[in-house]
Amino acid sequence: MAFVFSNQMKIWKVKLWSPGSNQLWRKMHNVTELIDMKTMRDNMQKMMKSQEIWLQTANRKSVMSNVPSEQSQLPSKFMSDSLITGVIPLSTGGEDKLKYLNPYNQVRFGRLLEDLDTLAVACCYKHNLVPGLAAGEVLVPRAIWTVLVDRIDLTSAFNDVSIDEDIKLTGHVSWVGKSSMESTIQVSQRNSEGVDMKLLEAVFVMVARDPVENKAAIVNRLHARNSEEKNILELSRNHQALRKSMSDESLLKTIPNESERSLIHKIFIDTLDSTATTFKVRRKPADTIWMEDAMLKTVRICFPEQKNIYNKIFGGFLMRQAFELAWANACVYSKSRCITVAVDDIIFRAPVSIGSFLYLSSQVGYTDGHRMQIRVHADVKNPKTGSSHTTNEFHFTIERADKSPVPVVLPKTYAESMIYLDSRRRFEEAMSIWRSSQ
């Protein structure tokens, strides 16, 4: 997803708090001027068209010559500079409300994922400003893409979200590298007592690119204005360190630890047929399901309707498709209505081009009581060449709505065992964060 920001286009109707204020998120949720998400997306489309025209102009390289080459030459920004608050106007009803309605008369989480992606990118564009290019109709020559959804953690209040009350999304840039940024978003809804209830918090990681030279683009630095912003910056730096640590400890790079190896061996022994004197004959215990039977697959044709100006599919659309497949997989597996608990590590490895075939494969990777950890793998195939490659990985924690236990999923092969352990790690982390937020 990419668009450009110009101060000549009155896109962001946001009332910022005073420079000396504190309690950052509380101030954010007291914003009085909102823009609905549909209008935000429409304005983004207009700005995308403006950037497309700019990319085709003959003097674009001369314009780029005015762009600073060093980060120190760009003005530093504060979190308030990137603040945007959007609203999903469910209380007004109408045709748009139907887009957010699921079969159980509740909010459609997949649509909310699209809005989160929209707002995360918008915050990053609002954070960045190139001196000398903000006047007139000259637009900022940056393209910003989502590369990772670090976490989306839902509170217990999300289970009581109303389809008849507006939902508010408030976000800002919370960390900045040289060409990458982190956007943090909180989503809330006012309850029947007039209190804004936090529904979820999301962390997105974005990257800026030079659309002319197709290389990394520097972004404005981020400074903290007060102690609250310093705490948010420190938390975001910890996110960076944790992401690196988890990457280093990935099962694709290291062997399972001792307790994990013991667990896999126990599953193997417990599923051997005791009447056969061989390691090859397996039996499935009662109330269990083999992982190979806990999958759901689909394919999507990538149409221009969901494209950005670079002829790629929007990240929010991919997230919605993956989540809805995972949710369907959870419902089929548990034979019950399911609700979402957390979203973890949505990785965008490569862009998805228009006209390609998007293969989505959902797998129940781990179960614990009434909860399931589900992994969705996305491959793209070029119908002309037949070549394919992985573009995305998605991880969701979903639970059975009636809280009754689901069948225990069991791995049969070594590859499935690695998926099982990886899913178990993600599940335990999600549950730790979920419990601390309640």
Side-chain angles (χ1 to χ4, degrees), residues 3 16 74 81 86 91 153 159 210 220 237 291 325 341 355 365:
F3 68 98
L16 303 181
L74 291 171
D81 294 323
S91 62
D153 294 304
N159 296 333
D210 177 343
N220 295 67
R237 292 190 185 102
M291 286 182 67
L325 178 64
V341 177

Side-chain angles (χ1 to χ4, degrees), residues 273-323:
D273 188 341
S274 59
T275 63
T277 57
T278 177
F279 291 124
K280 294 183 179 181
V281 181
R282 308 286 291 275
R283 61 172 180 81
K284 184 173 68 67
D287 299 321
T288 64
I289 295 179
W290 292 120
M291 286 182 67
E292 63 186 12
D293 299 322
M295 300 181 68
L296 202 60
K297 298 182 180 182
T298 189
V299 62
R300 291 284 185 269
I301 304 174
C302 298
F303 290 107
E305 179 185 5
Q306 300 296 338
K307 78 178 181 72
N308 58 26
I309 65 170
Y310 304 104
N311 208 38
K312 307 299 180 184
I313 296 295
F314 286 121
F317 173 78
L318 298 174
M319 287 193 289
R320 175 165 66 87
Q321 296 297 318
F323 166 74

Side-chain angles (χ1 to χ4, degrees), residues 28-316:
M28 286 181 175
H29 285 282
N30 286 333
V31 172
T32 57
E33 295 183 79
L34 309 174
I35 180 171
D36 70 83
M37 296 304 298
K38 182 179 184 301
T39 301
M40 187 182 296
R41 285 192 295 270
D42 290 344
N43 288 334
M44 286 167 57
Q45 291 292 339
K46 293 176 183 177
M47 288 189 289
M48 287 179 187
K49 186 63 177 178
S50 297
Q51 191 182 48
E52 186 175 18
I53 294 172
W54 178 82
L55 286 171
Q56 295 170 356
T57 61
N59 67 339
R60 62 184 183 273
K61 289 192 176 181
S62 64
V63 173
M64 287 297 297
S65 66
N66 296 322
V67 178
S69 58
E70 298 293 335
Q71 195 174 35
S72 60
Q73 297 173 315
L74 291 171
S76 297
K77 308 299 282 292
F78 297 104
M79 293 182 188
S80 59
D81 294 323
S82 60
L83 172 65
I84 302 175
T85 295
V87 63
I88 303 173
L90 300 178
S91 62
T92 59
E95 185 175 331
D96 287 340
K97 180 178 178 178
L98 291 176
K99 295 179 180 179
Y100 290 90
L101 185 65
N102 72 15
Y104 303 101
N105 201 38
Q106 294 178 325
V107 172
R108 188 176 172 186
F109 185 65
R111 288 290 185 189
L112 192 55
L113 288 176
E114 290 184 318
D115 290 335
L116 289 172
D117 186 59
T118 297
L119 185 60
V121 180
C123 290
C124 289
Y125 270 107
K126 195 164 186 283
H127 169 83
N128 287 281
L129 177 64
V130 178
L133 293 183
E137 295 300 319
V138 179
L139 301 176
V140 177
R142 284 193 184 92
I144 294 177
W145 282 280
T146 305
V147 295
L148 173 69
V149 181
D150 189 18
R151 290 209 60 81
I152 301 178
D153 294 304
L154 285 69
T155 69
S156 57
F158 191 85
N159 296 333
D160 300 319
V161 63
S162 172
I163 192 63
D164 299 315
E165 295 292 334
D166 294 348
I167 294 177
K168 187 161 58 176
L169 301 86
T170 303
H172 67 94
V173 172
S174 52
W175 175 87
V176 167
K178 186 174 181 179
S179 62
S180 58
M181 295 158 285
E182 180 183 277
S183 285
T184 300
I185 301 172
Q186 282 196 8
V187 178
S188 65
Q189 185 181 64
R190 186 156 295 180
N191 64 15
S192 58
E193 298 176 353
V195 178
D196 280 344
M197 301 296 294
K198 177 182 172 182
L199 303 179
L200 64 84
E201 181 168 328
V203 178
F204 284 68
V205 179
M206 331 297 292
V207 64
R209 303 288 296 179
D210 177 343
V212 176
E213 303 294 337
N214 191 28
K215 63 181 182 181
I218 58 173
V219 297
N220 295 67
R221 293 169 296 175
L222 180 66
H223 284 175
R225 196 191 300 270
N226 51 48
S227 59
E228 284 75 22
E229 293 187 0
K230 288 181 181 178
N231 290 337
I232 292 176
L233 267 176
E234 184 61 28
L235 181 62
S236 296
R237 292 190 185 102
N238 292 338
H239 284 162
Q240 309 300 317
L242 179 60
R243 281 195 287 269
K244 184 179 185 306
S245 174
M246 292 183 65
S247 175
D248 292 340
E249 295 173 3
S250 167
L251 290 170
L252 291 173
K253 299 179 180 179
T254 62
I255 63 174
N257 59 43
E258 184 176 350
S259 64
E260 290 173 333
R261 295 195 299 270
S262 297
L263 174 61
I264 293 303
H265 184 71
K266 184 178 185 305
I267 291 174
F268 175 73
I269 294 298
D270 290 346
T271 55
L272 284 177
D273 188 341
S274 59
T275 63
T277 57
T278 177
F279 291 124
K280 294 183 179 181
V281 181
R282 308 286 291 275
R283 61 172 180 81
K284 184 173 68 67
D287 299 321
T288 64
I289 295 179
W290 292 120
M291 286 182 67
E292 63 186 12
D293 299 322
M295 300 181 68
L296 202 60
K297 298 182 180 182
T298 189
V299 62
R300 291 284 185 269
I301 304 174
C302 298
F303 290 107
E305 179 185 5
Q306 300 296 338
K307 78 178 181 72
N308 58 26
I309 65 170
Y310 304 104
N311 208 38
K312 307 299 180 184
I313 296 295
F314 286 121

